[in-house]
Amino acid sequence: MSKINNKNSTVKRVLLQIRPYLPTIILLLALAVVSVLCSLYIPVLVGDAIDAIIGKEQVNFAIILPKLFTCAVLIGCAALAQWLMNVCGNKVTYNTIRDMREAAFKKIHRLPFSYLDAHETGDIVSRIIADVDQFADGLLMGFSQLFTGVVTIIGTIGFMLSVNVWTTLVVVLVTPLSILVARFIAKKTFAMFRLQSETRGRQTAFINEMITNQKVVRAYGHEDENMEKFDTINEELRRHTLKATFFSSITNPATRFVNSVVYAAVALIGAFLAVTGQGFTIGMLSCFLSYANQYTKPFNEISGVITELQNALACADRLLEFLDSEEMPADPELLPEHSETAKGQVTFDNVCFSYTKDRPLIRNFSLDVLAGCRVAIVGPTGCGKTTMINLLMRFYDPDSGSIGVDGTNTQTIPRRALRRNFGMVLQETWLKTGTVLDNIRMGRPDASEEDVIAAAKAAHAHSFIEQLPNGYYTQIGEDGGSLSAGQKQLLCISRIMLTLPPMLILDEATSSIDTRTELRIQRAFAKLMRGRTSFVVAHRLSTIKESDVILVMRDGNIVEQGDHESLLAKNGFYAELYRSQFTDEEQPVG
């Protein structure tokens, strides 16, 4: 699609976004007409008042005073209409922006994880925040100046024709040159503003990454390298912004030059007609000069609006591109035979999966897990352990084959219903901004405070929570704020203890916890896992010796399967991994 077609498509999409507010837009147009008509009638009254001043001591106040009073009333009406226009414009603009941001936030929940993994978080944030703000500025300027400008141009032509046809033709024929100039420049600026928005998104993503990983940056002394990279992006943003601003700044001086030529031409022609006595009075000349100025002024404003709209459309284009991204397949409706609470039998049948088509990861993977069975998954880094969890939770769907829970293909179960049956604790913890109580309650928002405390005690988190400034009502910041990694993980484990789901997924769930607390947690988990199907991903093989089944993975396949003693007796890959953690002959796995 060409850039012009892409821009036209964006304009159509923007018009669809504001269509729900059509009544307000119609009211805005009506107010614009009222404001313009009031403003345009004032020069006629002023011209009549000027003609009533014949000479020294020859002033007809009987004509002038009513004219001036009427002018004052019209000025008040125009000001009121303009204020109401701004109210309507703000309402349409910020309601539209609210709708677009809401649609974008909903879109995040419908996007597949493959999209989120492939796109920088900062760029997505930039599209939803910075680009929408830029779009709002352009849209607001369009409502406040574009509508009024168009109505002013049309109204002024009508009033000028009523005064003098030939002088009106001079104005009408010369002024459109400013529109041609503005249109030429607008074509140049759209692509530049698009590059500016994209580069700003990359910069936001980089800043977000550096803030999030500042400890790693300082630990490895990468401040200078990151500064160089930031300077490169910053310079690129400066260059694109400067080009876009340079071309857009040409518009106003160019149109002002054309408009000044129009004003001078009207002044010369009007003065000539007045001097030669062709029925063109000084009051009419004053009126016409005022109209010429009012007629050309909207062209300056419209040219500025057109330039600003290029930036707004470029930003809207990026947001709409995000909204058009392919979503996850829609969830099926929950059928009567689907139980909200699973028994826990899990089946992998010939599952194949890869994150990228050219690099196969899991091939022809099959597994039957009985309800209540404790399954440990071990293997080298990158062998597919966490991928199995992603497939089981339907964060990703298999390329072929199927995964079943209690004999039902998981792709026929709504994701929310499926995930409600799993309790998951990952190595990477996630906590939201809010109180400790709110964070533990995420899985059961209706849980009582007593239930939360009981869950925290079971997870051995109660003692450190009690030491916080406000206990369970202590506010914690993004991603846990100042809590230690171990404390954050204990809060995540407390969530599981509160929900007590029929199936558990523990991906290095105790990796950040001290040995003494880990032993207690392991005992709590052992009690929790009784009668529940459990998948435990572990690097420390000493923690999974009691598992019913140990799956040893390598390159996306199960190469060995059995309990701890039988796998050691085979003296195969598992035995090699196990011994490597207790000798110095081989590097520890993971």
Side-chain angles (χ1 to χ4, degrees):
M1 182 183 288
S2 68
K3 291 180 180 178
I4 293 176
N5 289 337
N6 188 46
K7 186 169 72 172
N8 291 339
S9 173
T10 302
V11 171
K12 291 177 183 177
R13 294 282 302 279
V14 169
L15 292 176
L16 288 174
Q17 292 289 333
I18 65 176
R19 188 169 61 178
Y21 308 103
L22 187 59
T24 307
I25 295 172
I26 293 172
L27 176 61
L28 193 154
L29 279 170
L31 291 167
V33 171
V34 171
S35 174
V36 168
L37 289 178
C38 290
S39 300
L40 292 180
Y41 193 57
I42 292 172
V44 174
L45 298 173
V46 172
D48 291 342
I50 290 173
D51 286 339
I53 304 173
I54 301 171
K56 187 178 181 181
E57 298 182 358
Q58 292 180 304
V59 179
N60 191 341
F61 286 102
I63 295 176
I64 293 175
L65 292 177
K67 299 288 183 185
L68 294 178
F69 177 76
T70 307
C71 284
V73 172
L74 291 175
I75 289 170
C77 291
L80 178 61
Q82 187 66 43
W83 177 74
L84 291 173
M85 273 183 61
N86 290 336
V87 171
C88 292
N90 288 337
K91 181 179 179 181
V92 174
T93 297
Y94 293 113
N95 281 348
T96 301
I97 295 311
R98 177 204 61 197
D99 295 344
M100 294 182 75
R101 279 209 173 112
E102 183 180 349
F105 196 75
K106 286 181 179 177
K107 184 74 175 184
I108 293 174
H109 296 135
R110 297 196 298 266
L111 285 171
F113 278 88
S114 56
Y115 180 95
L116 298 174
D117 289 341
H119 291 76
E120 294 173 311
T121 303
D123 182 62
I124 297 175
V125 172
S126 180
R127 292 182 191 228
I128 300 174
I129 303 299
D131 286 344
V132 172
D133 279 340
Q134 292 287 325
F135 173 64
D137 291 341
L139 194 61
L140 192 59
M141 186 177 286
F143 286 129
S144 61
Q145 296 183 18
L146 187 61
F147 282 7
T148 307
V150 171
V151 175
T152 300
I153 291 169
I154 297 171
T156 308
I157 292 175
F159 275 93
M160 285 194 296
L161 285 172
S162 68
V163 177
N164 187 279
V165 175
W166 298 108
T167 312
T168 303
L169 288 176
V170 173
V171 176
V172 173
L173 291 174
V174 179
T175 307
L177 288 174
S178 61
I179 290 293
L180 295 176
V181 172
R183 185 181 179 188
F184 171 77
I185 297 171
K187 289 181 180 179
K188 298 285 186 182
T189 55
F190 177 78
M192 295 176 186
F193 279 123
R194 171 74 194 228
L195 283 172
Q196 179 192 30
S197 296
E198 290 175 351
T199 310
R200 185 169 55 233
R202 284 170 46 216
Q203 186 183 63
T204 304
F206 184 71
I207 292 171
N208 180 70
E209 181 184 354
M210 290 305 102
I211 292 174
T212 305
N213 299 292
Q214 192 59 213
K215 290 180 181 177
V216 178
V217 171
R218 296 188 189 185
Y220 286 91
H222 270 245
E223 294 92 340
D224 293 338
E225 290 87 343
N226 290 337
M227 197 67 230
E228 288 177 10
K229 186 173 180 180
F230 177 80
D231 287 342
T232 301
I233 300 173
N234 207 27
E235 173 61 24
E236 190 177 341
L237 179 60
R238 182 201 67 82
R239 190 169 63 251
H240 292 319
T241 303
L242 193 60
K243 284 184 179 180
T245 306
F246 172 75
F247 274 92
S248 63
S249 64
I250 295 174
T251 309
N252 196 270
T255 54
R256 282 185 180 276
F257 174 77
V258 175
N259 296 339
S260 296
V261 171
V262 173
Y263 191 84
V266 170
L268 288 172
I269 295 171
F272 175 78
L273 293 174
V275 170
T276 55
Q278 298 185 31
F280 201 81
T281 66
I282 298 299
M284 292 172 67
L285 176 59
S286 170
C287 177
F288 223 100
L289 286 172
S290 179
Y291 282 144
N293 191 44
Q294 289 195 52
Y295 179 72
T296 55
K297 184 181 177 183
F299 284 94
N300 289 332
E301 293 176 348
I302 290 173
S303 63
V305 170
I306 289 174
T307 301
E308 188 65 31
L309 282 176
Q310 302 313 304
N311 187 14
L313 289 175
C315 293
D317 188 48
R318 276 169 45 81
L319 180 65
L320 293 172
E321 182 181 68
F322 173 73
L323 292 175
D324 289 339
S325 302
E326 186 177 353
E327 299 180 359
M328 294 183 295
D331 268 338
E333 293 184 6
L334 187 63
L335 300 178
E337 60 267 23
H338 288 161
S339 174
E340 288 276 352
T341 305
K343 296 184 180 68
Q345 181 181 351
V346 178
T347 305
F348 288 78
D349 184 16
N350 259 352
V351 171
C352 295
F353 175 78
S354 62
Y355 291 104
T356 56
K357 300 301 180 185
D358 57 334
R359 296 180 61 186
L361 178 59
I362 293 180
R363 290 161 289 186
N364 302 319
F365 178 78
S366 296
L367 173 69
D368 287 319
V369 178
L370 299 177
C373 186
R374 186 191 304 184
V375 179
I377 309 168
V378 301
T381 299
C383 69
K385 301 187 299 296
T386 302
T387 300
M388 277 186 61
I389 305 304
N390 287 337
L391 293 173
L392 194 59
M393 293 289 291
R394 285 201 69 195
F395 294 149
Y396 288 85
D397 285 328
D399 297 329
S400 62
S402 64
I403 301 172
V405 172
D406 296 342
T408 303
N409 190 327
T410 56
Q411 293 191 47
T412 67
I413 305 174
R415 292 178 180 85
R416 185 182 292 271
L418 173 69
R419 292 166 185 165
R420 197 177 293 123
N421 288 290
F422 286 95
M424 185 166 66
V425 180
L426 302 179
Q427 186 174 4
E428 295 180 4
T429 58
W430 183 85
L431 298 173
K432 67 176 183 176
T433 301
T435 64
V436 171
L437 192 71
D438 293 335
N439 273 278
I440 298 177
R441 270 182 178 158
M442 280 190 68
R444 266 182 63 196
D446 58 342
S448 66
E449 187 173 344
E450 291 74 20
D451 289 338
V452 172
I453 293 173
K457 286 180 178 178
H460 299 277
H462 179 72
S463 57
F464 93 80
I465 294 173
E466 285 288 284
Q467 295 172 12
L468 295 175
N470 296 309
Y472 285 84
Y473 292 91
T474 301
Q475 287 282 338
I476 56 177
E478 180 185 359
D479 199 25
S482 59
L483 296 180
S484 70
Q487 289 172 331
K488 288 188 283 188
Q489 209 158 32
L490 287 175
L491 291 184
C492 293
I493 294 170
S494 299
R495 289 176 186 163
I496 301 300
M497 296 297 185
L498 180 65
T499 55
L500 296 177
M503 292 181 283
L504 297 174
I505 294 174
L506 308 176
D507 189 350
E508 285 294 311
T510 58
S511 60
S512 300
I513 298 171
D514 64 89
T515 305
R516 183 180 177 186
T517 306
E518 181 185 11
L519 291 173
R520 294 176 180 173
I521 296 274
Q522 290 291 353
R523 286 196 290 269
F525 273 151
K527 183 177 179 182
L528 180 65
M529 286 189 284
R530 286 189 199 126
R532 289 182 171 85
T533 306
S534 306
F535 294 87
V536 182
V537 177
H539 286 136
R540 282 182 287 181
L541 304 187
S542 58
T543 63
I544 47 93
K545 288 196 280 186
E546 304 301 321
S547 299
D548 299 316
V549 179
I550 298 174
L551 305 178
V552 186
M553 295 193 67
R554 191 174 194 176
D555 299 326
N557 294 306
I558 296 177
V559 293
E560 292 179 358
Q561 180 175 334
D563 60 24
H564 175 71
E565 297 299 332
S566 64
L567 289 174
L568 283 181
K570 287 182 180 178
N571 201 29
F573 188 53
Y574 176 81
E576 180 183 337
L577 290 174
Y578 187 77
R579 284 193 297 268
S580 71
Q581 294 192 3
F582 298 99
T583 67
D584 295 326
E585 296 174 5
E586 297 179 57
Q587 292 294 324
V589 178

